[in-house]
Amino acid sequence: MKRLVCLLTVLSVVMGASLVASAFSLDGDASYLFGLGKEAKGQGFAANTKVEVFDNIFADAAFSFINFKNEDKGETRADTFLTIGGLYRVASEEDLEVFVGGGYGMLSFTATGPVDGEEVGGLDAETSNDTKGSGFYGKFGFKFVPAEKFTLLADVSYAPKFKFGEEDAKSLLSARATVAYEVMENISVQGTIKHYRSGDDINSGILVGGGVSFTF
């Protein structure tokens, strides 16, 4: 899964770079996130990019890597979430753009925790559980400019049948909101709120943070 994620990430970057010259527009952002999961503290990073490849048609990709730690139970979990798809701009006004689309998403998490009553070399034994899931999703989003230099971006993705191994398919919901303030031409500082969940096993809680965004 890690090799696949790296390959798809590299391909996305190469594809995006090759399309920039002929693209109508390019939007992207990168954030450092932290917050509270369902029972654990989390921190990591996320990146999003959207490239207009044809009139009103966009290539869209998002990536996040979040580490969670439950100090009380001695448990950790690392989530890797990647989505690649397309968007269509259904409405475009001077201060508002609305998008709908979809794509394919991949989510993996590695959970590690102690085994009660067992030791190895004088230390508590640990167990590790790798879970991988994938599925198709639909997406709705908008870009709103409420005032000069300010931009609000928000999107929601939903996969009705996200498959994890031999388990029954689960739904997966992902949401993000970003507020950006332009500090120089095409470059902004931004704050982000992100959340995703699938069943009871995977819940990011509310992740908050900030970083930079760019528009060309």
Side-chain angles (χ1 to χ4, degrees):
M1 182 66 179
K2 291 182 179 180
R3 292 181 179 178
L4 178 60
V5 169
C6 291
L7 176 61
L8 290 174
T9 303
V10 171
L11 289 176
S12 299
V13 172
V14 172
M15 180 185 71
S18 65
L19 293 172
V20 168
S22 59
F24 294 95
S25 65
L26 170 66
D27 293 314
D29 63 74
S31 305
Y32 181 80
L33 302 175
F34 63 94
L36 297 178
K38 189 175 181 180
E39 296 179 347
K41 296 180 180 179
Q43 59 180 354
F45 64 90
N48 302 270
T49 184
K50 182 169 86 271
V51 181
E52 188 174 11
V53 292
F54 300 105
D55 191 19
N56 294 320
I57 298 177
F58 296 78
D60 179 61
F63 175 80
S64 64
F65 178 79
I66 310 295
N67 275 310
F68 296 95
K69 186 174 183 180
N70 188 323
E71 296 181 354
D72 294 336
K73 297 182 179 180
E75 298 173 343
T76 61
R77 194 184 87 217
D79 292 5
T80 302
F81 190 21
L82 173 68
T83 61
I84 298 177
L87 295 172
Y88 178 72
R89 182 166 52 200
V90 297
S92 179
E93 303 294 338
E94 183 177 355
D95 57 357
L96 176 66
E97 295 178 282
V98 180
F99 305 89
V100 295
Y104 192 73
M106 290 163 286
L107 173 62
S108 67
F109 73 93
T110 301
T112 304
V115 179
D116 293 338
E118 294 187 20
E119 292 187 353
V120 176
L123 300 175
D124 291 338
E126 289 191 343
T127 181
S128 180
N129 178 34
D130 294 334
T131 303
K132 304 170 185 177
S134 60
F136 292 96
Y137 66 89
K139 188 172 186 176
F140 169 81
F142 67 86
K143 179 180 180 179
F144 178 55
V145 182
E148 185 179 2
K149 295 184 178 295
F150 282 95
T151 302
L152 171 62
L153 302 170
D155 56 62
V156 177
S157 301
Y158 179 72
K161 293 185 178 181
F162 214 76
K163 185 68 175 177
F164 289 92
E166 300 299 323
E167 299 180 11
D168 294 335
K170 303 177 181 179
S171 63
L172 184 142
L173 177 69
S174 175
R176 173 182 68 110
T178 296
V179 177
Y181 177 76
E182 188 177 44
V183 294
M184 62 180 68
E185 186 177 6
N186 299 325
I187 304 296
S188 303
V189 293
Q190 51 90 2
T192 293
I193 300 175
K194 184 178 178 68
H195 171 74
Y196 58 86
R197 72 170 184 267
S198 179
D200 296 327
D201 297 328
I202 303 177
N203 190 328
S204 71
I206 302 299
L207 299 166
V208 297
V212 297
S213 60
F214 52 87
T215 301
F216 297 100

